[in-house]
Amino acid sequence: WPRLSDVLAENSDVLAEVYALANGNGPLYPLDFSQGYHLPLPHLSTVRSMARLLQASAISRAHSGDEAGAAADLLAGVRLSSRLEEEPLIISQLVRVAIDAIMYQGVIESFPPGEIPPELLAQLSVHYEARDLPGSLTAMWQMEGNMGVEFMSGIMSGGWQSGQAQLREFFPHSQFPGGDWAATIYASPFARPWQHLDMIAFGQAMDAFEPTLAQPFYEARPIIEEIQGHIDSLPRTRAVTHGLVPAMMAIHRSMARAQTYQHLLSVGAAVETYGNNNGTYPPSLSDLQGDSSIVDPHTGAPFQYRTDGDTFQLYSVGPDLTDDGGEHDVIDGDIVWRGTRKSTGTTGLVATR
């Protein structure tokens, strides 16, 4: 802890600049969308590092007893994440999800069970509710769709070598569906009919997916699976559609994970507060006071909850929809809130990054 405090003290000027960015307005970085998929985004890795700095500062301050300072760091991280909402790009929104996860973990590591400040929870709730998630996702999807069409138009209007260069730059290391030989054929003037049909298929898939962005993930999932099945059935000559759209549709799954963190934080803190006030954890989530509409974004049902009075488990079944008994997994398994044995104070299940 002393070493961490020293490092943070040495970087106090950097932390002050991060706060200034978090409290600012407008885009974090000037974006020139005319560059299409060549658009540079040097700020995203830096912003993610800023979030980790805020997380470390929050944990250090909480450890030293500065509860208010820790809460301020965590709120600054959420505000920093919210500023990326104005960047209509999938990669920017994925970084926003990553920052939300960093701040979620920061709350868990900063405050023991039952000691998350109510004021912090209330302020986090205000920030989350102020976000226009469907609006930002729709703007992002439309921008990505336009960039995809421009990318394919560039291949069609350029020469054979120019088309090959664009495909190899966008699909490095033989990642083009069918490999390098397929990319060579696809980029040729003789493949114009394929390219044209690919552009139509791309537009149709993008249009079919867009309405799902206004739906909860558990409602959108069957539609997404149907669209994916349609893409899988397309000929391999619809190569750009095969290569781009499934990866882009993964944004819905990422946003569901981000919403799961937010909901687990709200419900988990309420369970712990109930335990502190009553000496035992609630028999069921329905015994809690609060927003009864909070559900697992992956299923639309309440979170999984088990308790013996002295311990509890709280978790989402995660994107694979399989109840693994509270076994956390970063990719497909359950997404778990911490559980604590009240008699000993030892930590049991903890939701981790």
Side-chain angles (χ1 to χ4, degrees):
W1 290 110
R3 176 56 183 155
L4 176 58
S5 297
D6 290 343
V7 170
L8 291 170
E10 293 169 2
N11 289 276
S12 59
D13 56 336
V14 177
L15 198 59
E17 292 182 12
V18 173
Y19 263 81
L21 279 174
N23 293 326
N25 296 304
L28 281 171
Y29 185 82
L31 301 177
D32 181 6
F33 293 105
S34 67
Q35 299 185 56
Y37 286 137
H38 299 288
L39 173 65
L41 300 167
H43 63 299
L44 292 181
S45 61
T46 302
V47 171
R48 188 166 179 168
S49 297
M50 290 177 180
R52 292 202 176 278
L53 178 63
L54 288 167
Q55 182 201 56
S57 178
I59 295 170
S60 176
R61 286 177 169 173
H63 179 77
S64 65
D66 183 5
E67 182 179 286
D73 287 335
L74 295 166
L75 287 168
V78 173
R79 289 195 298 271
L80 189 66
S81 163
S82 294
R83 291 201 61 189
L84 288 174
E85 190 174 7
E86 299 184 37
E87 296 187 7
L89 298 168
I90 286 180
I91 184 62
S92 298
Q93 299 312 305
L94 291 176
V95 171
R96 179 160 70 92
V97 169
I99 293 175
D100 282 343
I102 291 169
M103 294 302 106
Y104 167 83
Q105 190 65 25
V107 173
I108 289 176
E109 295 185 19
S110 296
F111 301 103
E115 297 183 22
I116 301 175
E119 298 81 5
L120 172 60
L121 292 171
Q123 289 177 290
L124 287 172
S125 178
V126 168
H127 280 290
Y128 291 142
E129 290 176 3
R131 291 177 173 177
D132 179 16
L133 185 59
S136 63
L137 290 180
T138 299
M140 170 215 70
W141 195 251
Q142 292 172 350
M143 177 61 70
E144 293 283 353
N146 291 338
M147 292 169 68
V149 170
E150 290 175 6
F151 172 69
M152 287 188 280
S153 296
I155 294 173
M156 294 174 68
S157 62
W160 197 339
Q161 290 184 335
S162 173
Q164 284 181 283
Q166 290 187 64
L167 288 174
R168 286 171 180 166
E169 183 175 351
F170 195 79
F171 295 98
H173 311 299
S174 301
Q175 291 177 4
F176 187 84
D180 284 341
W181 69 268
T184 299
I185 296 174
Y186 184 94
S188 74
F190 302 105
R192 291 288 184 266
W194 292 351
Q195 296 165 0
H196 180 69
L197 291 172
D198 197 2
M199 182 182 290
I200 293 174
F202 176 83
Q204 290 174 339
M206 295 291 286
D207 289 345
F209 183 82
E210 184 174 330
T212 71
L213 296 171
Q215 297 176 300
F217 181 67
Y218 59 86
E219 290 183 3
R221 188 180 190 122
I223 303 172
I224 296 172
E225 291 175 350
E226 182 179 346
I227 296 171
Q228 182 63 63
H230 172 70
I231 292 173
D232 291 342
S233 71
L234 292 173
R236 295 179 67 182
T237 51
R238 312 297 186 267
V240 174
T241 301
H242 278 289
L244 285 184
V245 179
M248 294 164 68
M249 290 196 302
I251 188 66
H252 222 317
R253 174 170 164 155
S254 297
M255 288 300 171
R257 179 173 286 270
Q259 290 176 318
T260 300
Y261 291 140
Q262 296 168 20
H263 292 177
L264 280 175
L265 175 59
S266 177
V267 176
V271 171
E272 293 173 357
T273 299
Y274 184 105
N276 276 5
N277 294 338
N278 297 278
T280 184
Y281 290 121
S284 70
L285 295 182
S286 61
D287 293 292
L288 296 173
Q289 293 183 347
D291 188 353
S292 60
S293 66
I294 294 180
V295 295
D296 184 341
H298 296 94
T299 64
F303 287 117
Q304 300 298 309
Y305 176 75
R306 302 184 183 94
T307 182
D308 60 8
D310 292 327
T311 63
F312 75 92
Q313 287 182 314
L314 175 68
Y315 59 93
S316 160
V317 297
D320 65 356
L321 303 183
T322 300
D323 187 346
D324 298 311
E327 183 175 343
H328 180 74
D329 182 84
V330 175
I331 304 300
D332 286 320
D334 299 340
I335 304 172
V336 187
W337 178 255
R338 63 186 174 192
T340 300
R341 184 173 296 280
K342 294 176 65 63
S343 58
T344 63
T346 57
T347 299
L349 295 173
V350 179
T352 58
R353 291 185 298 277

PDB file of all heavy atoms in Angstrom, residues 300-320:
ATOM      1  N   GLY A 300     -33.940 -11.870 -18.801  1.00  0.00           N
ATOM      2  CA  GLY A 300     -35.186 -11.177 -18.500  1.00  0.00           C
ATOM      3  C   GLY A 300     -35.823 -11.656 -17.211  1.00  0.00           C
ATOM      4  O   GLY A 300     -36.891 -11.179 -16.835  1.00  0.00           O
ATOM      5  N   ALA A 301     -35.162 -12.581 -16.517  1.00  0.00           N
ATOM      6  CA  ALA A 301     -35.648 -13.113 -15.237  1.00  0.00           C
ATOM      7  C   ALA A 301     -34.790 -12.542 -14.104  1.00  0.00           C
ATOM      8  O   ALA A 301     -33.730 -11.975 -14.344  1.00  0.00           O
ATOM      9  CB  ALA A 301     -35.578 -14.638 -15.251  1.00  0.00           C
ATOM     10  N   PRO A 302     -35.239 -12.693 -12.857  1.00  0.00           N
ATOM     11  CA  PRO A 302     -34.408 -12.226 -11.747  1.00  0.00           C
ATOM     12  C   PRO A 302     -33.042 -12.919 -11.738  1.00  0.00           C
ATOM     13  O   PRO A 302     -32.882 -14.027 -12.268  1.00  0.00           O
ATOM     14  CB  PRO A 302     -35.226 -12.611 -10.505  1.00  0.00           C
ATOM     15  CG  PRO A 302     -36.637 -12.683 -10.990  1.00  0.00           C
ATOM     16  CD  PRO A 302     -36.545 -13.203 -12.399  1.00  0.00           C
ATOM     17  N   PHE A 303     -32.070 -12.267 -11.117  1.00  0.00           N
ATOM     18  CA  PHE A 303     -30.754 -12.882 -10.954  1.00  0.00           C
ATOM     19  C   PHE A 303     -30.867 -14.144 -10.110  1.00  0.00           C
ATOM     20  O   PHE A 303     -31.811 -14.305  -9.321  1.00  0.00           O
ATOM     21  CB  PHE A 303     -29.790 -11.911 -10.266  1.00  0.00           C
ATOM     22  CG  PHE A 303     -29.323 -10.777 -11.141  1.00  0.00           C
ATOM     23  CD1 PHE A 303     -29.629  -9.470 -10.825  1.00  0.00           C
ATOM     24  CD2 PHE A 303     -28.563 -11.025 -12.280  1.00  0.00           C
ATOM     25  CE1 PHE A 303     -29.202  -8.424 -11.627  1.00  0.00           C
ATOM     26  CE2 PHE A 303     -28.133  -9.993 -13.088  1.00  0.00           C
ATOM     27  CZ  PHE A 303     -28.448  -8.688 -12.762  1.00  0.00           C
ATOM     28  N   GLN A 304     -29.905 -15.039 -10.265  1.00  0.00           N
ATOM     29  CA  GLN A 304     -29.832 -16.223  -9.417  1.00  0.00           C
ATOM     30  C   GLN A 304     -29.390 -15.793  -8.016  1.00  0.00           C
ATOM     31  O   GLN A 304     -28.417 -15.060  -7.863  1.00  0.00           O
ATOM     32  CB  GLN A 304     -28.832 -17.232  -9.996  1.00  0.00           C
ATOM     33  CG  GLN A 304     -29.162 -17.720 -11.395  1.00  0.00           C
ATOM     34  CD  GLN A 304     -30.485 -18.451 -11.451  1.00  0.00           C
ATOM     35  OE1 GLN A 304     -30.728 -19.371 -10.670  1.00  0.00           O
ATOM     36  NE2 GLN A 304     -31.358 -18.050 -12.368  1.00  0.00           N
ATOM     37  N   TYR A 305     -30.118 -16.251  -7.022  1.00  0.00           N
ATOM     38  CA  TYR A 305     -29.814 -15.847  -5.650  1.00  0.00           C
ATOM     39  C   TYR A 305     -30.047 -17.024  -4.716  1.00  0.00           C
ATOM     40  O   TYR A 305     -31.101 -17.665  -4.760  1.00  0.00           O
ATOM     41  CB  TYR A 305     -30.690 -14.667  -5.230  1.00  0.00           C
ATOM     42  CG  TYR A 305     -30.517 -14.244  -3.786  1.00  0.00           C
ATOM     43  CD1 TYR A 305     -29.383 -13.544  -3.384  1.00  0.00           C
ATOM     44  CD2 TYR A 305     -31.496 -14.544  -2.834  1.00  0.00           C
ATOM     45  CE1 TYR A 305     -29.220 -13.150  -2.053  1.00  0.00           C
ATOM     46  CE2 TYR A 305     -31.348 -14.150  -1.512  1.00  0.00           C
ATOM     47  CZ  TYR A 305     -30.205 -13.460  -1.126  1.00  0.00           C
ATOM     48  OH  TYR A 305     -30.047 -13.075   0.185  1.00  0.00           O
ATOM     49  N   ARG A 306     -29.036 -17.310  -3.889  1.00  0.00           N
ATOM     50  CA  ARG A 306     -29.155 -18.373  -2.890  1.00  0.00           C
ATOM     51  C   ARG A 306     -28.553 -17.864  -1.590  1.00  0.00           C
ATOM     52  O   ARG A 306     -27.526 -17.180  -1.598  1.00  0.00           O
ATOM     53  CB  ARG A 306     -28.432 -19.643  -3.343  1.00  0.00           C
ATOM     54  CG  ARG A 306     -28.918 -20.210  -4.675  1.00  0.00           C
ATOM     55  CD  ARG A 306     -28.219 -21.522  -5.015  1.00  0.00           C
ATOM     56  NE  ARG A 306     -28.624 -22.026  -6.318  1.00  0.00           N
ATOM     57  CZ  ARG A 306     -27.980 -21.785  -7.453  1.00  0.00           C
ATOM     58  NH1 ARG A 306     -26.869 -21.058  -7.431  1.00  0.00           N
ATOM     59  NH2 ARG A 306     -28.411 -22.272  -8.591  1.00  0.00           N
ATOM     60  N   THR A 307     -29.154 -18.229  -0.480  1.00  0.00           N
ATOM     61  CA  THR A 307     -28.631 -17.810   0.819  1.00  0.00           C
ATOM     62  C   THR A 307     -29.008 -18.824   1.891  1.00  0.00           C
ATOM     63  O   THR A 307     -30.043 -19.492   1.806  1.00  0.00           O
ATOM     64  CB  THR A 307     -29.163 -16.423   1.213  1.00  0.00           C
ATOM     65  OG1 THR A 307     -28.595 -16.032   2.464  1.00  0.00           O
ATOM     66  CG2 THR A 307     -30.677 -16.419   1.344  1.00  0.00           C
ATOM     67  N   ASP A 308     -28.123 -18.932   2.888  1.00  0.00           N
ATOM     68  CA  ASP A 308     -28.455 -19.694   4.087  1.00  0.00           C
ATOM     69  C   ASP A 308     -28.591 -18.757   5.283  1.00  0.00           C
ATOM     70  O   ASP A 308     -28.626 -19.193   6.431  1.00  0.00           O
ATOM     71  CB  ASP A 308     -27.402 -20.766   4.370  1.00  0.00           C
ATOM     72  CG  ASP A 308     -26.009 -20.181   4.592  1.00  0.00           C
ATOM     73  OD1 ASP A 308     -25.882 -18.942   4.681  1.00  0.00           O
ATOM     74  OD2 ASP A 308     -25.045 -20.964   4.685  1.00  0.00           O
ATOM     75  N   GLY A 309     -28.664 -17.466   5.003  1.00  0.00           N
ATOM     76  CA  GLY A 309     -28.763 -16.464   6.053  1.00  0.00           C
ATOM     77  C   GLY A 309     -27.432 -15.839   6.388  1.00  0.00           C
ATOM     78  O   GLY A 309     -27.336 -14.636   6.637  1.00  0.00           O
ATOM     79  N   ASP A 310     -26.368 -16.663   6.418  1.00  0.00           N
ATOM     80  CA  ASP A 310     -25.031 -16.164   6.741  1.00  0.00           C
ATOM     81  C   ASP A 310     -24.173 -15.926   5.507  1.00  0.00           C
ATOM     82  O   ASP A 310     -23.198 -15.176   5.563  1.00  0.00           O
ATOM     83  CB  ASP A 310     -24.299 -17.152   7.656  1.00  0.00           C
ATOM     84  CG  ASP A 310     -24.926 -17.220   9.042  1.00  0.00           C
ATOM     85  OD1 ASP A 310     -25.438 -16.177   9.495  1.00  0.00           O
ATOM     86  OD2 ASP A 310     -24.904 -18.303   9.644  1.00  0.00           O
ATOM     87  N   THR A 311     -24.487 -16.574   4.412  1.00  0.00           N
ATOM     88  CA  THR A 311     -23.758 -16.390   3.157  1.00  0.00           C
ATOM     89  C   THR A 311     -24.778 -16.241   2.039  1.00  0.00           C
ATOM     90  O   THR A 311     -25.949 -16.602   2.205  1.00  0.00           O
ATOM     91  CB  THR A 311     -22.835 -17.588   2.847  1.00  0.00           C
ATOM     92  OG1 THR A 311     -23.643 -18.758   2.668  1.00  0.00           O
ATOM     93  CG2 THR A 311     -21.836 -17.826   3.970  1.00  0.00           C
ATOM     94  N   PHE A 312     -24.306 -15.729   0.909  1.00  0.00           N
ATOM     95  CA  PHE A 312     -25.212 -15.670  -0.232  1.00  0.00           C
ATOM     96  C   PHE A 312     -24.432 -15.731  -1.535  1.00  0.00           C
ATOM     97  O   PHE A 312     -23.240 -15.425  -1.579  1.00  0.00           O
ATOM     98  CB  PHE A 312     -26.083 -14.411  -0.205  1.00  0.00           C
ATOM     99  CG  PHE A 312     -25.372 -13.130  -0.578  1.00  0.00           C
ATOM    100  CD1 PHE A 312     -25.358 -12.678  -1.897  1.00  0.00           C
ATOM    101  CD2 PHE A 312     -24.724 -12.367   0.373  1.00  0.00           C
ATOM    102  CE1 PHE A 312     -24.724 -11.499  -2.248  1.00  0.00           C
ATOM    103  CE2 PHE A 312     -24.066 -11.185   0.031  1.00  0.00           C
ATOM    104  CZ  PHE A 312     -24.069 -10.749  -1.280  1.00  0.00           C
ATOM    105  N   GLN A 313     -25.132 -16.168  -2.565  1.00  0.00           N
ATOM    106  CA  GLN A 313     -24.638 -16.137  -3.934  1.00  0.00           C
ATOM    107  C   GLN A 313     -25.594 -15.290  -4.757  1.00  0.00           C
ATOM    108  O   GLN A 313     -26.819 -15.442  -4.649  1.00  0.00           O
ATOM    109  CB  GLN A 313     -24.567 -17.532  -4.556  1.00  0.00           C
ATOM    110  CG  GLN A 313     -23.449 -18.413  -4.050  1.00  0.00           C
ATOM    111  CD  GLN A 313     -23.464 -19.749  -4.775  1.00  0.00           C
ATOM    112  OE1 GLN A 313     -24.514 -20.372  -4.932  1.00  0.00           O
ATOM    113  NE2 GLN A 313     -22.310 -20.179  -5.236  1.00  0.00           N
ATOM    114  N   LEU A 314     -25.044 -14.421  -5.586  1.00  0.00           N
ATOM    115  CA  LEU A 314     -25.840 -13.579  -6.476  1.00  0.00           C
ATOM    116  C   LEU A 314     -25.113 -13.519  -7.803  1.00  0.00           C
ATOM    117  O   LEU A 314     -23.944 -13.135  -7.853  1.00  0.00           O
ATOM    118  CB  LEU A 314     -25.989 -12.175  -5.888  1.00  0.00           C
ATOM    119  CG  LEU A 314     -26.702 -11.137  -6.768  1.00  0.00           C
ATOM    120  CD1 LEU A 314     -28.181 -11.484  -6.939  1.00  0.00           C
ATOM    121  CD2 LEU A 314     -26.539  -9.735  -6.190  1.00  0.00           C
ATOM    122  N   TYR A 315     -25.801 -13.893  -8.890  1.00  0.00           N
ATOM    123  CA  TYR A 315     -25.105 -13.908 -10.171  1.00  0.00           C
ATOM    124  C   TYR A 315     -26.074 -13.969 -11.341  1.00  0.00           C
ATOM    125  O   TYR A 315     -27.239 -14.342 -11.207  1.00  0.00           O
ATOM    126  CB  TYR A 315     -24.130 -15.091 -10.249  1.00  0.00           C
ATOM    127  CG  TYR A 315     -24.748 -16.461 -10.086  1.00  0.00           C
ATOM    128  CD1 TYR A 315     -25.166 -17.201 -11.188  1.00  0.00           C
ATOM    129  CD2 TYR A 315     -24.890 -17.025  -8.819  1.00  0.00           C
ATOM    130  CE1 TYR A 315     -25.714 -18.465 -11.042  1.00  0.00           C
ATOM    131  CE2 TYR A 315     -25.440 -18.290  -8.656  1.00  0.00           C
ATOM    132  CZ  TYR A 315     -25.849 -19.002  -9.768  1.00  0.00           C
ATOM    133  OH  TYR A 315     -26.401 -20.255  -9.620  1.00  0.00           O
ATOM    134  N   SER A 316     -25.547 -13.576 -12.494  1.00  0.00           N
ATOM    135  CA  SER A 316     -26.225 -13.746 -13.773  1.00  0.00           C
ATOM    136  C   SER A 316     -25.741 -15.049 -14.400  1.00  0.00           C
ATOM    137  O   SER A 316     -24.577 -15.426 -14.233  1.00  0.00           O
ATOM    138  CB  SER A 316     -25.885 -12.570 -14.696  1.00  0.00           C
ATOM    139  OG  SER A 316     -26.129 -12.892 -16.055  1.00  0.00           O
ATOM    140  N   VAL A 317     -26.606 -15.711 -15.121  1.00  0.00           N
ATOM    141  CA  VAL A 317     -26.188 -16.945 -15.795  1.00  0.00           C
ATOM    142  C   VAL A 317     -25.275 -16.651 -16.979  1.00  0.00           C
ATOM    143  O   VAL A 317     -24.669 -17.564 -17.544  1.00  0.00           O
ATOM    144  CB  VAL A 317     -27.393 -17.781 -16.256  1.00  0.00           C
ATOM    145  CG1 VAL A 317     -28.210 -18.226 -15.060  1.00  0.00           C
ATOM    146  CG2 VAL A 317     -28.245 -16.997 -17.252  1.00  0.00           C
ATOM    147  N   GLY A 318     -25.175 -15.383 -17.377  1.00  0.00           N
ATOM    148  CA  GLY A 318     -24.241 -15.012 -18.425  1.00  0.00           C
ATOM    149  C   GLY A 318     -24.751 -15.295 -19.819  1.00  0.00           C
ATOM    150  O   GLY A 318     -25.867 -15.791 -20.021  1.00  0.00           O
ATOM    151  N   PRO A 319     -23.915 -15.004 -20.818  1.00  0.00           N
ATOM    152  CA  PRO A 319     -24.355 -15.089 -22.212  1.00  0.00           C
ATOM    153  C   PRO A 319     -24.645 -16.495 -22.710  1.00  0.00           C
ATOM    154  O   PRO A 319     -25.343 -16.660 -23.709  1.00  0.00           O
ATOM    155  CB  PRO A 319     -23.198 -14.457 -22.986  1.00  0.00           C
ATOM    156  CG  PRO A 319     -22.016 -14.583 -22.082  1.00  0.00           C
ATOM    157  CD  PRO A 319     -22.555 -14.462 -20.695  1.00  0.00           C
ATOM    158  N   ASP A 320     -24.105 -17.524 -22.041  1.00  0.00           N
ATOM    159  CA  ASP A 320     -24.394 -18.887 -22.510  1.00  0.00           C
ATOM    160  C   ASP A 320     -25.702 -19.421 -21.943  1.00  0.00           C
ATOM    161  O   ASP A 320     -26.117 -20.543 -22.279  1.00  0.00           O
ATOM    162  CB  ASP A 320     -23.237 -19.835 -22.174  1.00  0.00           C
ATOM    163  CG  ASP A 320     -23.034 -20.033 -20.681  1.00  0.00           C
ATOM    164  OD1 ASP A 320     -23.737 -19.382 -19.880  1.00  0.00           O
ATOM    165  OD2 ASP A 320     -22.148 -20.833 -20.307  1.00  0.00           O
TER     166      ASP A 320
END
